[in-house]
Structure formats: structure tokens, C-alpha cells
Amino acid sequence: MSAMFRSLAGIDYRIWFAGALVSNVGTWMQRTAQDWIVLTELSDHDAVALGITTALQLGPQLLLVPVSGLIADRFDRRHVLMATQLAMGLLGAGLGLIVLLGVAQLWIVYVFALLLGIASAIDAPVRQTFVSELVAGPNLGNAVALNSASFNAARTIGPAVAGLLVVAVGAGWVFLINAVSFAAVLVSLKAIRPARLVPVARAPRAKGQLLEGFRYVRGRPDLMIIMVIVFVIGTFGFNYQIFTSTMATVEFGLDSAGFGVLTSVMAIGSVAGALVSASRDKPRVRLVFIASAGFGVSALLAALSPSYWLFAGALVLIGFAGQILMTTANGTVQTTTDPRMRGRVMALYMAIFMGGTPIGAPLLGAVANTLGPRWALGVAALAGIVAFGIGMVWLAVYRDARIRLVGQRPRLVFGARDRMAGSLTATGSFRAVPPREELAEDLELDEAEARRA
């Protein structure tokens, strides 16, 4: 098996990968159908209504971050995933029945979006960290990247299928199909043998655990800068559903099938970006900065595209750069975090990444309504350029980085005033700078409690 797919050598990860792919296809089908009915059936092409729906669905990621992260660190992740996946399947079935019965209203979709957001907020950090129980050692980064490839392969298939099905049978049946797709994950979780999972130390009951993840990240400058970049682009750049749907309907006058095709075209670039990330030995923070610049330039090209097909081509570039950014950031956070803190740190990461959307989605919707969807894309482009600038300032000021010619090639060289010098670990991450005595004491107490248990 090639290095790009090396983590698939494990049987349990293959089972999980297959089940998650089927479920992700259904999830993207539901997202496309939900956006479509909100935009065209339950409102008069109101981008603000679409932004509110997105905000309700992603807002709980931000509000529940301390609780969801602690659940991921303390409880059996396989059992938690079974509960959250079942809940999301039932919500999809309920929304499908309401639409088929012809009683759907905008406020009802808002309620379902909020409930789905609560279930997803608990599910996300557990699902992200569950990979570390299926794949251990140096293959973990590859498994994280392949998870992103699976998610975006589903984004290629799901919206296109949903666009055709909405025209053929209606959005209600799309929601029901999504509900059935969750059975694939439940079956895969049941098929995975707990005895084969990688042992993970659980966080024991102790005071201050909810805030421990914040303290850990505060002492890791490399994680701090990643989360700043992710917040800026996640809030104002990764609102794909806002600018693809409004460009499809307002600028190009497309139906649901055309909207689905645009979403799938973007996913082609995302899959390519995830596979490129999977081929790398380990993620690097500087690649997050470079991908931010690529995202900003691609969004600007999309905003200026005069025709449908040029716009579609720019979406491929947006998907490629955006996916490299997300996969590299996610992989860096997961693979360099203390395993006992991973759930809480990943919950914080997911909250910053997805929780910024409730702020950005209504704002971008208002921009699209007032000035047009091309201006919304302009905001996304500006977010990418600003994120790149923040990264470059951090490298120059905090790490004394300069570009020098080494031979005939430009290289990034760190100077004598590098504040991270001496704190680099064998995994490529950084120790807390400066050392945080209270965090060390907490970890020692956790170890003592674990030995007693």
C-alpha cells in the first residue's frame, strides 16, 4: 500500500473509513437540500435566513466547547459516537417527514438546525480524537488527512446527488436518505472490536478540568497562532454555502442541480488538497500560512470570474488551498497534543474553527444581500490575506524568521532571537513557553490519580 494510504493497513480504520464515507455523503446531501429549501422555498432568496440557519447549526460548537472536550477525554468515545450518530440520524428523519407532510416552516428548520448543532458539537471532538484509538504512532497524521479526504470525497458526491434528487423527488426524501446513511457508521462502530483499539489514558475526575485545555493551549504558541488563523478564515472565509448558493442563484440563475454541481466541483479541489497533505511526513505550521495566502488569492479570482465555468475553476483552487490549510492545522493540533488533553484541545479547535461561522455567516449573508455575492467572496479573499499577514508577522517577530538564499533556493531561516529556540520537541511541536508550573502540577495529579485507579 502506498505511503499516501498507509493508515488503511489497519482493519479497524478501514471499517471506520468506509462507514464514515457513506454517512458523510448523506450529511452533504442533507446540507445541500436544507440550504436549498431555506433559500428558495422558505424565503425569497434571503441570504440572511441561510446565514441564520448555518449559525444555529454551528453555534453550539462554540458554546459547548468545555463540556464536549471533557466528554471526549473522559468517556468511552466509541459509545459516545454511537449515541450522537443515532441522534443525528433521528433528526434527519424527523425533518424529512415534516417536509414530506408539507408543514415545514422556516422556524422549524431553525429548531432542527439548532438540535443538530448540539449533537454535532458533542460528536465532533469525539470523532476527531477517536482516530487516535484506531491508528497509532507516525501514521496518525496520515489517518487525519485521509479522514479529510473522505469528508471531501463525500462533498463531491453528496451535493451533486442531492441537487438531482431535489428536482426528481423533493428535499424531504433527501433528508430521509441521510437518516438511513447514519446506519453505516453505527454498523462500523459495532464491527470494531474494543480489544484492538489503542489504549488511551482517560482524564480522571478532578477540579479545574474544564479550563485545563485553555491553559494548555495558552502555553503552546504554535497552537495559539494556528487557532488565530483558523478563527479568521473560519469566520469570514469558510462560509462556502453562502457564496456558492448566492452566486448560483443570483449571478448565474441556476437551479438546485447547478448549485450541487458547483459544490461538487469545489470538493474536487478539497480531495486533492487532502491527498497532498496525506502524502507529507508531518504537518508544518508554516504551511498553514502559505495555504491562507492561496485561499485568499483563489477567493479573489472567484469574485472576479465573469462566467460560470471560470467561477467553477476558481472554486477548485479555493477547495484545494482551503483543504490543505484545514488538514495541516488539524493534523498539527492532533498529533502534537498530549493524549490526555487531546479531547479538550480538539474541542477548542473545533469551536474556534466552526464556532466563528455563527458570527460570519449572517454578516456575509447581509453583504451578499446588500452588495451582491461577489462582495461576499471579496470578504473571504480579504480574510485569507489577513491570515497570511498575521502568520508572517508571527514568524518575523516571535521566531525571528527571515528568507535567505541557500544555494539558489530561498529558505526560511530562524535567527538568534527565536523565542521558540530550545523548546522544539522530537515530534516537531513546542513545549510550553514559558513553562507553566500549574499545568505541570495538574498533569502530575492526573498521573497519580490514574495510578491509584
Side-chain angles (χ1 to χ4, degrees):
M1 186 172 295
S2 69
M4 186 178 293
F5 302 100
R6 58 188 180 274
S7 56
L8 289 174
I11 179 63
D12 287 327
Y13 184 69
R14 288 203 302 271
I15 293 172
W16 165 257
F17 186 88
L21 178 60
V22 174
S23 177
N24 285 334
V25 170
T27 298
W28 277 108
M29 289 173 62
Q30 169 151 332
R31 287 187 182 183
T32 303
Q34 177 180 277
D35 291 347
W36 187 256
I37 65 170
V38 168
L39 198 61
T40 63
E41 297 180 17
L42 303 179
S43 72
D44 185 18
H45 295 85
D46 188 353
V48 172
L50 183 59
I52 292 173
T53 305
T54 303
L56 289 171
Q57 191 163 318
L58 300 180
Q61 292 276 0
L62 184 62
L63 299 177
L64 298 179
V65 55
V67 177
S68 60
L70 192 56
I71 289 173
D73 280 336
R74 180 177 291 176
F75 297 101
D76 187 303
R77 292 166 183 164
R78 180 168 163 269
H79 291 161
V80 175
L81 282 173
M82 287 181 175
T84 55
Q85 294 289 309
L86 178 61
M88 290 188 284
L90 292 175
L91 287 170
L95 184 57
L97 291 175
I98 287 173
V99 173
L100 288 176
L101 292 174
V103 295
Q105 298 181 43
L106 190 58
W107 71 268
I108 295 178
V109 175
Y110 286 166
V111 171
F112 271 87
L114 178 61
L115 294 175
L116 184 61
I118 293 171
S120 298
I122 298 173
D123 178 85
V126 180
R127 179 165 34 85
Q128 294 281 341
T129 53
F130 184 60
V131 177
S132 65
E133 297 187 38
L134 299 170
V135 180
N139 288 339
L140 177 57
N142 177 258
V144 171
L146 289 182
N147 266 9
S148 296
S150 168
F151 184 76
N152 286 284
R155 193 167 71 177
T156 304
I157 302 168
V161 173
L164 296 174
L165 288 178
V166 167
V167 175
V169 297
W173 287 105
V174 176
F175 297 139
L176 292 181
I177 292 171
N178 172 56
V180 174
S181 74
F182 282 100
V185 177
L186 294 173
V187 170
S188 69
L189 289 169
K190 190 69 176 176
I192 292 171
R193 295 183 182 180
R196 291 198 301 250
L197 296 176
V198 178
V200 175
R202 303 294 178 196
R205 292 181 179 274
K207 292 183 178 180
Q209 284 184 315
L210 292 179
L211 297 178
E212 197 172 7
F214 293 92
R215 295 201 300 270
Y216 181 87
V217 171
R218 190 175 62 185
R220 287 278 304 275
D222 56 325
L223 299 186
M224 285 284 290
I225 190 61
I226 284 177
M227 294 198 181
V228 170
I229 298 296
V230 164
F231 174 77
V232 171
I233 296 188
T235 302
F236 301 106
F238 284 161
N239 289 283
Y240 296 148
Q241 72 284 355
I242 299 292
F243 55 71
T244 53
S245 60
T246 52
M247 285 290 287
T249 56
V250 176
E251 288 292 319
F252 302 120
L254 301 173
D255 59 12
S256 63
F259 169 43
V261 167
L262 281 180
T263 307
S264 295
V265 164
M266 177 183 285
I268 292 173
S270 298
V271 172
L275 292 178
V276 168
S277 300
S279 66
R280 297 179 63 87
D281 292 335
K282 61 182 180 180
R284 295 184 181 275
V285 176
R286 71 192 71 168
L287 185 57
V288 175
F289 307 152
I290 296 171
S292 300
F295 178 87
V297 173
S298 301
L300 182 60
L301 291 175
L304 300 176
S305 297
S307 68
Y308 171 77
W309 290 112
L310 287 175
F311 176 71
L315 288 183
V316 174
L317 298 177
I318 290 176
F320 181 78
Q323 190 57 42
I324 287 181
L325 189 156
M326 287 188 291
T327 304
T328 305
N330 189 316
T332 301
V333 173
Q334 278 216 63
T335 59
T336 66
T337 297
D338 187 306
R340 291 164 297 181
M341 303 292 301
R342 189 172 285 147
R344 279 161 285 181
V345 173
M346 282 306 299
L348 180 59
Y349 170 82
M350 295 300 295
I352 290 173
F353 173 52
M354 303 183 72
T357 302
I359 302 171
L363 291 176
L364 285 178
V367 170
N369 276 350
T370 306
L371 303 175
R374 294 184 185 275
W375 283 98
L377 273 165
V379 173
L382 181 61
I385 300 303
V386 168
F388 173 73
I390 291 172
M392 291 299 99
V393 170
W394 184 81
L395 284 174
V397 174
Y398 206 88
R399 301 212 59 195
D400 193 23
R402 300 291 185 270
I403 296 177
R404 297 283 187 269
L405 283 177
V406 179
Q408 298 297 321
R409 300 180 62 182
R411 296 285 187 182
L412 191 65
V413 178
F414 301 105
R417 293 178 296 173
D418 181 4
R419 294 172 63 185
M420 307 296 290
S423 63
L424 189 66
T425 68
T427 61
S429 64
F430 298 99
R431 300 184 184 92
V433 181
R436 304 194 61 78
E437 289 77 13
E438 67 270 26
L439 178 60
E441 291 174 0
D442 287 342
L443 293 178
E444 288 173 3
L445 290 173
D446 285 352
E447 290 174 354
E449 183 67 24
R451 285 195 295 269
R452 286 196 297 271

